[in-house]
Amino acid sequence: MDATGDQLMHAQAELWNHVFAYTRSMSLRCAVELGIPDAVHRLGGAATVPELAAALSLPPSRAPYLRRLMRLLAHAGFFVFDDAAASYGLTPLSRLLVSAAGAGGQGLSPFALAMLHPIVVSPSMSLASRFRAADARTAAARVPFEAAHGRDLWAVAKDDREFGAAFNDAMACDGRFVMDVLVRDHRDVFRGLTSLVDVGGGSGGAARAIAAAFPHVRCSVLELPHVVASVPPDERGGVEFVAGDMFESVPKADAVLLKVRRPLRFAISSSLSFTM
Ligand SMILES: C[S@@+](CC[C@H](N)C(=O)[O-])C[C@H]1O[C@@H](n2cnc3c(N)ncnc32)[C@H](O)[C@@H]1O
């Protein structure tokens, strides 16, 4: 049976939602770049568009566009609109992005910025070529990131300092955030440990959170040499950094923490295991 006009219009609306879904991510990137969550936080947790434009030092002529951006972000759940005050307030979602950690913020903006970086996003423009590549050895058949950039993410992060720093900041804030929850709500996982090595531990955010919560656990991070070199000695917080390659050797410890690329998936080996 042919679809009714209503069904067709409904399906078209769904199609538009999917086609324009990226505007949500890009608006999020824009909000973080402009510092909107931090500005709302500084303004007491809620702000009108004119207050926000002034706090962000935006030209008055941009206010109508800022209003549209805020409407979209509110629709996506980042802010809640108060009709009476015509103000946008923080939500649990946007509090994740506020950088003032410990003052209601969770400092996850660097994660959003790095994951929405053109270097990360651009490979998804050529996904179809990966399916069409008849010869699995061709560049187009490799993982999308490598097909787009000619080398893997670690090599790009090593050569492009701006991207490398953004990526490491992203990993650090995400690791710190998840570890704070882990050491607060799942302390049993660490019982009996005297040493732990975080393999591919980035700039050590997770290891530092564990070391701070369990001072008797000797924490170390195994990382690629250029990542270790980028962590200033005075920011290592009692964590030992070992430059190396996890595929060659891993320092001995009671437990190995490997936070792999799939979000929020951990494995702590030795006598313990934990996944979330
Ligand atoms: C997805 S990041 C995860 C960082 C950190 N574990 C976290 O979750 O926040 C993977 C890390 O592994 C590191 N890495 C990649 N290949 C490696 C290797 N062969 N040996 C050691 N570290 C490696 C990268 O430099 C990067 O910091």
Side-chain angles (χ1 to χ4, degrees):
M1 201 172 67
D2 285 347
T4 65
D6 278 356
Q7 286 169 333
L8 282 172
M9 294 310 288
H10 183 78
Q12 189 215 23
E14 287 247 328
L15 174 65
W16 279 50
N17 271 334
H18 290 295
V19 167
F20 294 108
Y22 70 92
T23 55
R24 205 184 290 182
S25 320
M26 292 307 139
S27 300
L28 167 60
R29 179 178 164 83
C30 174
V32 172
E33 279 188 299
L34 290 175
I36 291 177
D38 278 344
V40 176
H41 177 70
R42 279 196 307 273
L43 290 164
T48 64
V49 169
E51 285 169 344
L52 206 45
L56 298 171
S57 305
L58 300 181
S61 64
R62 303 291 94 183
Y65 304 105
L66 182 60
R67 192 178 307 281
R68 285 181 208 171
L69 177 69
M70 292 305 291
R71 280 220 303 264
L72 194 150
L73 290 167
H75 184 70
F78 285 98
F79 299 99
V80 60
F81 185 65
D82 178 337
D83 276 313
S87 66
Y88 289 90
L90 292 170
T91 64
L93 192 52
S94 46
R95 281 185 202 286
L96 292 179
L97 301 167
V98 171
S99 40
Q106 296 292 351
L108 287 177
S109 282
F111 183 81
L113 277 183
M115 296 307 128
L116 295 170
H117 192 287
I119 286 179
V120 174
V121 173
S122 58
S124 51
M125 299 305 288
S126 47
L127 291 180
S129 58
R130 188 171 186 225
F131 288 89
R132 291 201 185 101
D135 183 347
R137 290 163 302 182
T138 60
R142 296 210 297 262
V143 293
F145 189 97
E146 292 176 28
H149 299 294
R151 55 222 156 114
D152 68 16
L153 191 144
W154 319 123
V156 174
K158 181 180 176 200
D159 293 343
D160 185 323
R161 282 171 167 259
E162 182 266 328
F163 174 66
F167 187 84
N168 290 340
D169 287 351
M171 293 302 110
C173 74
D174 184 59
R176 203 170 38 237
F177 170 74
V178 179
M179 279 304 142
D180 283 349
V181 174
L182 184 60
V183 298
R184 194 190 62 202
D185 295 350
H186 300 277
R187 298 183 72 82
D188 281 1
V189 174
F190 299 92
R191 192 182 300 141
L193 290 186
T194 59
S195 59
L196 175 146
V197 55
D198 186 0
V199 174
S203 50
R208 273 192 299 276
I210 296 169
F214 305 97
H216 62 281
V217 179
R218 201 162 31 83
C219 293
S220 53
V221 167
L222 172 69
E223 252 299 344
L224 295 173
H226 72 274
V227 177
V228 172
S230 72
V231 186
D234 58 338
E235 287 178 21
R236 296 186 178 189
V239 167
E240 185 193 355
F241 278 74
V242 180
D245 181 341
M246 67 169 97
F247 298 113
E248 287 176 6
S249 77
V250 171
K252 280 206 179 343
D254 286 352
V256 171
L257 169 62
L258 181 64
K259 182 166 171 257
V260 294
R261 258 196 261 180
R262 202 180 302 171
L264 299 184
R265 190 165 178 87
F266 289 84
I268 295 183
S269 72
S270 82
S271 55
L272 310 161
S273 73
F274 176 85
T275 9
M276 65 182 278

